[in-house]
Amino acid sequence: MTIALQDMAWHRSVGQLIEALDRPNFWAQLVRLLDQYVSFDSWVALQFSSGQRPQVFAESPAEDGSPDQLFQDYLKGLYLLDPFYVASRERSQSGLFRLAEVAPEHLELTEYYQRYFRLNVVADEIQFNCQIDQDRTLCLSLGSTQRFSAEQIALLSMIQPWVIALLRQRLPFELEAAASDADQLDTPLPMSNWRKQLEASAQHSRGAQLTARELDVGRLMLSGCSSKEIARKLAISAETVRVHKKHMYSKLGIKSQSELFSIFLQAQNA
């Protein structure tokens, strides 16, 4: 469906969105308008920041109204492997981003993809990113059980300037509402748990300690990066990546990425 300049309903809806910027139903109105032109099956509005868990401002309701356990696992620490989270931390910029643009080469082979992504998002995801400052990114993510078509992406790309502008204008109201939620604002980054769990496992298995570089290699492996991608991100050779992987597996007493992912999950639930 295309948007014509004379589409009065469209302009009326955008005007209503601007009026609703400070109201609780803002997110519902926004996704309802987007859904008239591009179909999707789930959505979430959240803020990524370095040093704390994502702040969730709104999300699509579950069919039975109960909390989504998979999404709770995501907030506990799986987000550290989310391609969109990783991309937002590596390059801070506003825009519309597709899964295919940010996903590591081996994403679909990872335990994260098999045990979380394909069950929760299913097929495809796109995300509007509004870069607030160097550290914070406000995001509106849309998930679909089918691949977004080129026409849908083109439409979303055309309207992204006003969507991102609305996100930026909405943020002060979200921060004001969340100011009293100290638990969410002050929750420490669970990467420390991940490091502690790996180090404890290495100590228990071999009485050895993992290096910072081995920890970085392990995290990037779990997110789906190939040895070549890890080498590029860490500015080392692919052979050095393989050596770090071999040493890490030996210290942990494991033989597969699946076992490494299990240690990661234990860390998030510790």
Side-chain angles (χ1 to χ4, degrees):
M1 183 175 183
T2 58
I3 300 175
L5 198 60
Q6 63 270 26
D7 189 341
M8 298 302 298
W10 168 263
H11 293 290
R12 188 183 309 113
S13 296
V14 173
Q16 291 171 346
L17 269 175
I18 296 173
E19 289 286 344
L21 271 169
D22 61 345
R23 299 173 187 169
N25 66 338
F26 168 78
W27 295 109
Q29 281 193 225
L30 174 56
V31 297
R32 194 180 301 123
L33 176 59
L34 294 177
D35 192 47
Q36 292 179 22
Y37 298 91
V38 176
S39 296
F40 47 89
D41 300 286
S42 62
W43 60 271
V44 61
L46 72 174
Q47 178 177 267
F48 289 147
S49 302
S50 299
Q52 66 181 47
R53 300 176 193 268
Q55 286 178 256
V56 179
F57 297 141
E59 61 181 301
S60 50
E63 292 184 3
D64 60 359
S66 62
D68 185 339
Q69 185 56 52
L70 282 174
F71 189 59
Q72 295 307 308
D73 290 340
Y74 173 87
L75 294 177
K76 286 180 181 179
L78 284 178
Y79 71 87
L80 293 167
L81 307 180
D82 178 7
F84 289 98
Y85 173 83
V86 174
S88 75
R89 301 303 86 201
E90 290 182 345
R91 59 178 189 273
S92 302
Q93 62 185 72
S94 298
L96 177 69
F97 297 91
R98 303 178 60 186
L99 178 64
E101 296 171 339
V102 300
E105 184 177 351
H106 295 161
L107 174 65
E108 295 186 4
L109 301 179
T110 63
E111 293 291 316
Y112 167 77
Y113 183 88
Q114 296 297 327
R115 292 161 67 171
Y116 172 77
F117 189 91
R118 74 181 184 86
L119 299 178
N120 196 52
V121 182
V122 182
D124 205 1
E125 185 176 5
I126 54 178
Q127 189 162 285
F128 291 97
N129 279 6
C130 176
Q131 195 62 37
I132 305 303
D133 52 37
Q134 188 173 2
D135 181 64
R136 298 178 299 157
T137 308
L138 177 56
C139 313
L140 176 62
S141 180
L142 310 178
S144 174
T145 56
Q146 299 182 1
R147 299 289 183 186
F148 289 103
S149 68
E151 181 181 4
Q152 290 174 319
I153 297 299
L155 174 57
L156 292 172
S157 297
M158 182 179 71
I159 64 177
Q160 71 159 305
W162 69 256
V163 173
I164 292 175
L166 283 172
L167 296 188
R168 187 178 301 279
Q169 294 302 314
R170 173 65 182 184
L171 183 62
F173 301 106
E174 292 294 347
L175 296 182
E176 180 180 350
S180 60
D181 191 351
D183 290 338
Q184 185 180 45
L185 290 174
D186 297 334
T187 302
L189 187 73
M191 180 57 73
S192 59
N193 288 343
W194 151 248
R195 290 179 181 273
K196 290 176 182 177
Q197 186 68 41
L198 277 181
E199 290 166 353
S201 297
Q203 283 280 1
H204 177 75
S205 177
R206 294 290 188 271
Q209 287 189 332
L210 295 176
T211 66
R213 186 48 57 90
E214 287 166 351
L215 289 166
D216 289 337
V217 168
R219 176 179 57 82
L220 291 170
M221 283 173 49
L222 290 177
S223 69
C225 291
S226 64
S227 294
K228 184 182 296 185
E229 287 177 307
I230 296 174
R232 177 178 56 79
K233 289 175 181 288
L234 299 181
I236 57 179
S237 69
E239 180 58 33
T240 300
V241 171
R242 286 188 283 271
V243 170
H244 285 313
K245 175 183 174 181
K246 179 180 178 180
H247 288 170
M248 178 176 57
Y249 276 26
S250 176
K251 291 177 181 179
L252 293 172
I254 61 176
K255 297 182 179 180
S256 68
Q257 189 179 127
S258 177
E259 293 176 282
L260 183 64
F261 186 75
S262 293
I263 295 175
F264 181 88
L265 288 182
Q266 291 172 18
Q268 311 321 313
N269 295 316

